[in-house]
Amino acid sequence: MEGNTMSDKKKIALAACSGMSPYGLVARVASADTVEETDNTISICMGATSADREGFRNLIKKYPIIAISGCDGDCTQKILEQKGVKPAKNINVLEELNEAGLRPTDVCRMDEKGELCVKHMKEIIKKELKEFE
């Protein structure tokens, strides 16, 4: 077996936007898919974090966090900072998709355009995860 397996590596938390925009939906789906497809990532629920729900107070301080913001409001990063946590990285979905010429169209359902956006964002997230190895 070569080197370390994914499970030997320290976990990284993904905190995705929970906003009601197509970009927020892409952030959530790309984050959820990445957690499902990798061994070393976990999801942070931004609703529970915002509500200061017990358990999340410690969880957000346990692992490095990649904030995945839907738009230029960077709410995910700001909420974490209000809770005393500085994300290791902030990925802005709106900026990344604009740069790639991609645009999601639905706030709550994935269509073909949305899935293309998710695929692109998963590549970006996974590239960022490699920086932690």
Side-chain angles (χ1 to χ4, degrees):
M1 213 174 184
E2 295 177 26
N4 292 340
T5 64
M6 285 293 255
S7 58
D8 292 334
K9 296 176 188 161
K10 184 171 176 156
K11 295 213 180 275
I12 305 196
L14 302 180
C17 170
S18 59
M20 290 298 293
S21 77
Y23 296 93
L25 178 61
V26 168
R28 286 188 302 283
V29 174
S31 175
D33 283 1
T34 300
V35 168
E36 191 174 300
E37 295 167 8
T38 59
D39 293 334
N40 66 325
T41 55
I42 63 164
S43 290
I44 299 288
C45 174
M46 290 313 297
T49 299
S50 296
D52 207 28
R53 188 167 152 208
E54 194 175 345
F56 282 85
R57 281 180 231 131
N58 294 328
L59 183 63
I60 63 172
K61 294 178 178 148
K62 189 172 182 179
Y63 303 111
I65 298 176
I66 297 176
I68 305 169
S69 295
C71 69
D72 54 9
D74 291 324
C75 300
T76 305
Q77 179 178 344
K78 290 175 183 173
I79 290 166
L80 290 166
E81 288 173 352
Q82 287 169 2
K83 301 297 176 186
V85 175
K86 180 162 177 45
K89 178 78 181 173
N90 183 48
I91 298 172
N92 185 297
V93 174
L94 176 66
E95 288 175 12
E96 296 290 348
L97 294 180
N98 281 345
E99 197 173 294
L102 295 169
R103 185 180 169 147
T105 56
D106 199 309
V107 70
C108 61
R109 288 184 178 73
M110 270 303 140
D111 58 11
E112 196 173 321
K113 287 181 181 180
E115 290 294 349
L116 287 173
C117 294
V118 167
K119 182 177 182 224
H120 181 73
M121 290 312 303
K122 283 179 12 184
E123 289 170 8
I124 289 170
I125 294 166
K126 288 177 180 179
K127 183 178 165 204
E128 290 298 334
L129 288 172
K130 287 182 195 263
E131 300 290 320
F132 289 88
E133 291 178 8

